[in-house]
Amino acid sequence: MKRPLITTVLAISAATGLLVLFNTMQGCRPQTTQAVVQGDAAGKVYVRPGAFDEFYNLVSGGFSGQMSVYGLPSGRLLRNIPVFSVDPQSGYGYSEETKGMLMTSHGFVPWDDSHHPELSQTDGIPDGKWCFINGNNTPRIALVDLGTFRTKSIVEIPYCAGNHSSPFTTPNSEYVVSGTRFSIPMGSDAERDVPIESYRENFKGTVSFIHPEPESGKMSIAFQIITPAIDFDLSHAGKGPSDGWFFFSCYNTEQAYSLMEVNASQRDKDFIMAVNWKKAEQYAKEGRGRKVPAKYLSNWYNEETHMTETTEVAEVLQLDPRELKDLLYFMPCPKSPHGCDVDPSGKYIVGSGKLAALLPVFSFEKIQKAIAANDTVGDFAGIPVLKYESVLHGEVKKPGLGPLHTEFDDKGNAYTSFFVSSEIVKWNVEKLEVLDRVPTYYSIGHLSIPGGDSRKPWGKYVVAYNKITKDRYLPTGPELNQSAQLFSIEGDKMELLLDYPTIGEPHYAQSIPADLVRPREVKFFDINKNRHPYVARGEKESKVERKGKEVHVWMTTIRSHFTPDNIEGIKIGDEVYFHVTNLEQDWDVPHGFAIKGANNAELLIMPGETQTFKWVPKEVGVTPMYCTDFCSALHQEMQGYVRVSPANSNVPLKAETRSVDAGS
């Protein structure tokens, strides 16, 4: 069994004075998988043929820009959902209807870096309606509809650079919140064109509050809060007594801008930032902010027309905490914090300093008392800094090395991932006592418990998402898929049940009972409600029409033919739009469409749906087209031909599907 790279361990341990502690803990931990995995583990994850998993596990795709869906406890990959990246399998980002989902103020951006799924909530409990996920590189947030498991809405975030710190929902999903990873200069061209070394004077950050419309899922930015020039990592909303507040982990209080691994790791403590979002909402409604120019796009997929609708917005409302004094407060937190997690009671906030040898747990009640008493140790860039000892519930001593992220069960316990010591540690929130620890064998990043960041954890399992997987699977070259590991948390001791590879980088995930999602699932689209402008609801409505250099084909598919399947009169220089409607009204009978030599992906059209394929022919001749998705015993026969003639040709435009006598 391989351990994490010892050079990394030595470097971080030496920097934090933890090497002795690390070696001590290693001696207490199981050294083989056999010491951890019990004989009945396979039975606990077995889902017999025809049976269903208990949970949907929604996992970020990291640098793939997508989201994948696994079943728990089986670990089976159920679906890969394209979000910020084009997908040849489904035609997402290739069809004319979905290209608009990837439009931004920078133009068409077919890729992003997705880290954090976040389930929509009602009264602080996941409700099975939506799942949000962030685009880190070109700052965006997407909304995935859990009825269709499709991306329904994407909003761009202005005045944000690196949207890592998102998305995090309020307890009733009134807002999805995003903090910028990188602070940047903002304003006019002259205000943005400044020396990098003027970071402290000229750079700023933002926290954005994005409102999803409850019925449609359309998203818009309600307001932003300007922040000092620091970096935000993770966040969670308060709940119960702390409802109305948000808590963000912050690093780089040194305000460094070069060689960050050294220069942004100097101080013993950085911050947790407490945001009074209810007060910010009030100020925004009272007009206490300032509207500033800001070009951003909001894209929404209309499931009646089966098309993307894009709204371009020209301004955003910003609130300045230097003027509105009761919006932001800082709390010292050791050291370079990553996770910032609120327990199910809403009473406690856990900070996870990546370079700390302890876990600080803050008390919301004490935070409020410190604010009321002005119990501070000064300010940071004009924001009050509350006294550490005054807001602290207590510290978990010697829990492990490199704490990253904490989630909770329904029994008052917390589970924290430790990147350096490669383990999950279970501890009691009230008593701050370590109860159990299990190895993950490779460097763990986030972990996930069903409902584990909500008011009602379902518990039962914790899943570890590992950053390194070498030697865990058959080798497939220098790059192996990263891994997840499923542990049971039903007993006093955690038990490793399953180890399986994942798509992309499984940065974070959330899980929800399948029974909350399945009542909303869409099996097919009602063709009678299809409002696509080029829909053909039956073969009699299929046709072809020329509009100058554009040729539009109203096409239908049904097992096992296209109508029309013979098209003539296309000329070099034409742009041909195949508007393909799937006439099926049965579950899981998609049809595909592709044409030879197209500089595009296929289409994959669901029952009752219309999708459009754009083709620009480059050469004269007869070109075949065919169905790409196996649909029946006669799938191979589901094909046709398009005749392309020279630009000056007089061949009439026509389209047909006809029977041919076998003897003719």
Side-chain angles (χ1 to χ4, degrees):
M1 180 192 70
K2 296 288 185 70
R3 305 303 312 165
L5 293 177
I6 192 65
T7 53
T8 301
V9 174
L10 288 171
I12 298 179
S13 299
T16 57
L18 301 178
L19 185 56
V20 173
L21 173 62
F22 176 72
N23 289 332
T24 300
M25 290 188 303
Q26 293 303 295
C28 301
R29 294 170 56 197
Q31 297 300 306
T32 67
T33 54
Q34 286 77 13
V36 180
V37 179
Q38 304 300 314
D40 61 347
K44 292 180 180 179
V45 300
Y46 178 69
V47 178
R48 62 176 176 78
F52 297 118
D53 280 285
E54 184 178 358
F55 295 97
Y56 287 114
N57 183 223
L58 304 160
V59 185
S60 71
F63 40 72
S64 77
Q66 301 179 349
M67 180 193 299
S68 51
V69 186
Y70 294 84
L72 296 181
S74 73
R76 297 181 295 191
L77 176 63
L78 303 177
R79 183 154 185 185
N80 194 44
I81 304 172
V83 182
F84 297 109
S85 298
V86 295
D87 179 41
Q89 177 179 333
S90 65
Y92 178 83
Y94 291 102
S95 72
E96 296 304 297
E97 288 79 4
T98 59
K99 285 179 181 177
M101 295 299 291
L102 301 178
M103 288 300 296
T104 75
S105 61
H106 306 280
F108 183 77
V109 179
W111 169 86
D112 217 312
D113 182 20
S114 301
H115 284 194
H116 303 124
E118 178 85 342
L119 291 161
S120 60
Q121 297 185 355
T122 299
D123 195 24
I125 302 171
D127 54 24
K129 185 178 180 181
W130 297 328
C131 187
F132 303 95
I133 191 167
N134 64 325
N136 188 12
N137 183 267
T138 304
R140 291 171 283 177
I141 285 177
L143 179 157
V144 173
D145 189 323
L146 295 184
T148 59
F149 285 87
R150 286 180 166 188
T151 303
K152 186 177 183 66
S153 183
I154 297 179
V155 66
E156 193 178 3
I157 308 174
Y159 297 106
C160 177
N163 182 36
H164 174 82
S165 182
S166 79
F168 310 104
T169 65
T170 53
N172 287 294
S173 297
E174 304 97 331
Y175 300 105
V176 186
V177 182
S178 160
T180 186
R181 175 177 178 179
F182 307 105
S183 292
I184 54 172
M186 302 179 189
S188 65
D189 287 352
E191 291 171 309
R192 295 197 306 272
D193 183 18
V194 296
I196 296 173
E197 63 187 19
S198 70
Y199 182 101
R200 187 166 298 180
E201 295 78 24
N202 293 318
F203 287 48
K204 296 181 180 66
T206 57
V207 172
S208 302
F209 285 75
I210 295 151
H211 175 64
E213 293 181 3
E215 296 303 320
S216 68
K218 291 180 180 179
M219 292 191 289
S220 60
I221 299 174
F223 57 88
Q224 294 180 322
I225 301 175
I226 301 295
T227 71
I230 51 177
D231 295 4
F232 298 107
D233 205 333
L234 295 177
S235 174
H236 274 97
K239 53 182 78 81
S242 56
D243 187 11
W245 288 77
F246 250 97
F247 304 94
F248 281 84
S249 60
C250 314
Y251 62 103
N252 192 25
T253 55
E254 297 85 354
Q255 297 187 307
Y257 50 85
S258 179
L259 195 58
M260 297 285 284
E261 66 172 332
V262 174
N263 296 327
S265 304
Q266 300 297 308
R267 296 185 175 182
D268 289 335
K269 289 184 175 67
D270 287 286
F271 293 136
I272 297 293
M273 184 174 74
V275 181
N276 188 339
W277 72 261
K278 283 286 189 181
K279 182 66 71 172
E281 179 185 54
Q282 174 190 329
Y283 287 149
K285 290 179 178 177
E286 292 173 353
R288 301 278 295 275
R290 183 178 297 108
K291 290 186 177 180
V292 299
K295 181 181 178 181
Y296 71 93
L297 302 187
S298 179
N299 306 318
W300 178 69
Y301 191 78
N302 186 329
E303 289 180 357
E304 289 187 353
T305 64
H306 301 205
M307 301 181 74
T308 300
E309 298 177 8
T310 295
T311 302
E312 184 175 314
V313 186
E315 62 183 13
V316 67
L317 178 66
Q318 293 184 339
L319 307 177
D320 192 336
R322 294 172 299 181
E323 301 169 1
L324 306 170
K325 299 291 187 180
D326 50 359
L327 291 185
L328 304 183
Y329 301 89
F330 286 131
M331 301 180 294
C333 180
K335 175 182 183 185
S336 297
H338 182 64
C340 182
D341 303 287
V342 181
D343 85 310
S345 74
K347 294 165 58 177
Y348 302 113
I349 300 97
V350 181
S352 299
K354 300 191 297 291
L355 303 180
L358 53 82
L359 284 170
V361 182
F362 301 96
S363 162
F364 181 74
E365 181 180 359
K366 290 184 177 181
I367 293 169
Q368 295 306 295
K369 288 180 179 178
I371 291 172
N374 195 29
D375 190 3
T376 69
V377 290
D379 69 86
F380 180 86
I383 307 302
V385 179
L386 305 177
K387 189 179 296 182
Y388 180 68
E389 295 76 13
S390 299
V391 296
L392 192 68
H393 168 60
E395 297 174 339
V396 183
K397 304 293 187 181
K398 300 181 180 180
L401 296 182
L404 289 186
H405 176 221
T406 300
E407 291 204 351
F408 307 89
D409 65 17
D410 57 348
K411 302 171 186 175
N413 301 315
Y415 300 75
T416 301
S417 59
F418 288 83
F419 179 80
V420 178
S421 51
S422 299
E423 60 185 332
I424 297 174
V425 175
K426 174 183 177 181
W427 51 278
N428 182 269
V429 178
E430 283 282 354
K431 298 179 181 179
L432 306 173
E433 296 175 351
V434 172
L435 304 175
D436 190 26
R437 62 178 76 240
V438 293
T440 57
Y441 302 101
Y442 291 100
S443 298
I444 180 176
H446 282 258
L447 50 74
S448 175
I449 294 172
D453 71 339
S454 75
R455 198 170 60 80
K456 182 188 175 182
W458 286 278
K460 196 163 186 176
Y461 304 111
V462 60
V463 186
Y465 300 96
N466 297 332
K467 299 299 186 186
I468 303 170
T469 58
K470 60 181 182 293
D471 300 346
R472 298 299 282 175
Y473 313 108
L474 289 172
T476 53
E479 173 73 7
L480 276 67
N481 270 340
Q482 292 166 312
S483 72
Q485 291 174 301
L486 178 74
F487 296 84
S488 169
I489 58 173
E490 292 186 285
D492 292 335
K493 298 295 184 180
M494 292 176 280
E495 178 188 357
L496 176 60
L497 301 179
L498 186 66
D499 189 347
Y500 56 97
T502 61
I503 291 175
E505 181 200 4
H507 194 87
Y508 178 49
Q510 292 208 320
S511 298
I512 191 169
D515 289 343
L516 281 180
V517 178
R518 289 176 61 196
R520 296 187 61 251
E521 67 182 356
V522 174
K523 289 185 166 65
F524 58 87
F525 298 99
D526 186 344
I527 197 167
N528 296 311
K529 296 180 180 179
N530 185 330
R531 300 291 179 262
H532 192 288
Y534 291 94
V535 63
R537 295 187 184 87
E539 293 185 0
K540 292 183 179 180
E541 296 182 16
S542 65
K543 60 181 179 178
V544 62
E545 182 179 295
R546 177 177 291 279
K547 298 179 180 179
K549 290 290 187 181
E550 293 183 1
V551 176
H552 293 266
V553 182
W554 283 255
M555 178 179 284
T556 64
T557 66
I558 196 166
R559 288 166 285 187
S560 299
H561 64 274
F562 297 110
T563 302
D565 65 2
N566 279 204
I567 302 169
E568 298 187 18
I570 305 299
K571 303 176 184 179
I572 295 295
D574 285 344
E575 293 181 349
V576 185
Y577 294 86
F578 296 92
H579 308 288
V580 187
T581 301
N582 185 344
L583 298 180
E584 309 282 359
Q585 291 288 267
D586 193 7
W587 186 28
D588 197 26
V589 189
H591 288 294
F593 178 84
I595 189 165
K596 176 180 175 288
N599 185 17
N600 206 344
E602 61 161 359
L603 292 183
L604 195 62
I605 312 108
M606 296 300 112
E609 185 178 37
T610 302
Q611 291 287 290
T612 301
F613 187 102
K614 180 182 177 181
W615 178 52
V616 180
K618 301 296 185 183
E619 59 184 11
V620 171
V622 176
T623 301
M625 59 186 181
Y626 69 106
C627 176
T628 55
D629 192 340
F630 189 92
C631 55
S632 72
L634 295 176
H635 166 71
Q636 287 294 101
E637 284 76 10
M638 193 168 176
Q639 62 187 48
Y641 293 99
V642 179
R643 177 185 174 187
V644 179
S645 301
N648 59 357
S649 170
N650 293 320
V651 175
L653 184 65
K654 66 176 183 178
E656 59 187 356
T657 299
R658 61 180 179 176
S659 297
V660 179
D661 292 336
S664 64

